[in-house]
């Protein structure tokens, strides 16, 4: 079915030639309470919006719709958990907290984060004070790791 086109390229093809944010699909949940959800194709890209600070955008997979990640109403982004403090509450997963810029990660004791530098020697991680002053790094070669200050 084509809306705005006489030649639909898919089963549902929506076309808007207005530019800006006019090419959108809007799902109204409860218009009077302002809990609408939108999918917009704009001039700058794809935008998913939950129009309330108390709502989130969740990413689910599998036949049962298991949640794998979410942006909550405060701008926090969590993967494999819905808890913005996975370490404090002993939840497995990773969360980037928008207000503080903190990254929290909790994992099982047999797992560890991995950093890879492929095919060349050099810095694997760099540490900065403010935005431009590098104050340290962790570098690797094919046979050693150095902690540089």
């Amino acid at each position: 079915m084509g809306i705005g086109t006489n030649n639909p390229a898919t089963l549902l093809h929506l076309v808007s030639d207005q530019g800006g944010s006019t090419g959108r699909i809007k799902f109204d949940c409860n218009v009077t309470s302002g809990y609408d959800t939108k999918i917009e194709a704009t001039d700058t890209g794809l935008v998913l919006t939950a129009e309330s600070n108390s709502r989130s955008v969740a990413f689910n997979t599998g036949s049962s719709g298991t949640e794998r990640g979410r942006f909550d109403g405060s701008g926090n982004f969590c993967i494999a958990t819905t808890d913005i403090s996975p370490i404090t509450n002993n939840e497995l997963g990773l969360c980037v907290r928008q207000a503080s810029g903190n990254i929290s990660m909790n994992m099982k004791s047999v797992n560890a984060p991995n950093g890879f530098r492929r095919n060349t020697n050099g810095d694997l991680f760099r540490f900065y004070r403010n935005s431009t002053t590098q104050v340290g790094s962790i570098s690797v070669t094919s046979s050693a790791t150095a902690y540089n200050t």
Side-chain angles (χ1 to χ4, degrees):
M1 172 169 70
I3 299 173
T5 180
N6 292 325
N7 301 307
T10 61
L11 289 176
L12 177 60
H13 188 167
L14 307 173
V15 175
S16 172
D17 61 1
Q18 300 299 309
S21 62
T22 59
R24 66 177 70 163
I25 301 170
K26 186 172 185 175
F27 301 95
D28 291 327
C29 299
N30 185 344
V31 177
T32 60
S33 297
Y35 296 144
D36 298 339
T37 301
K38 296 187 291 189
I39 300 172
E40 298 177 84
T42 71
D43 288 346
T44 59
L46 180 67
V47 179
L48 304 173
T49 305
E51 290 186 340
S52 170
N53 288 340
S54 65
R55 300 291 189 245
S56 62
V57 175
F59 300 90
N60 301 342
T61 63
S63 59
S64 63
T66 304
E67 186 171 322
R68 306 297 184 185
R70 89 168 35 197
F71 284 98
D72 71 15
S74 297
N76 302 310
F77 179 57
C78 298
I79 300 171
T81 183
T82 59
D83 190 336
I84 64 167
S85 298
I87 296 168
T88 304
N89 299 315
N90 201 23
E91 292 273 333
L92 298 179
L94 174 119
C95 190
V96 178
R97 299 172 99 181
Q98 189 273 332
S100 62
N102 290 343
I103 299 172
S104 301
M105 178 174 39
N106 197 16
M107 64 198 96
K108 292 182 179 180
S109 61
V110 296
N111 298 323
N114 297 293
F116 297 92
R117 183 170 180 100
R118 301 279 185 195
N119 304 321
T120 60
N121 298 336
D123 288 347
L124 186 61
F125 295 101
R126 293 183 183 143
F127 303 94
Y128 290 86
R129 171 73 168 118
N130 296 324
S131 61
T132 58
T133 306
Q134 184 175 338
V135 295
S137 65
I138 300 173
S139 61
V140 295
T141 67
S142 60
S143 60
T145 300
Y147 300 92
N148 312 300
T149 60

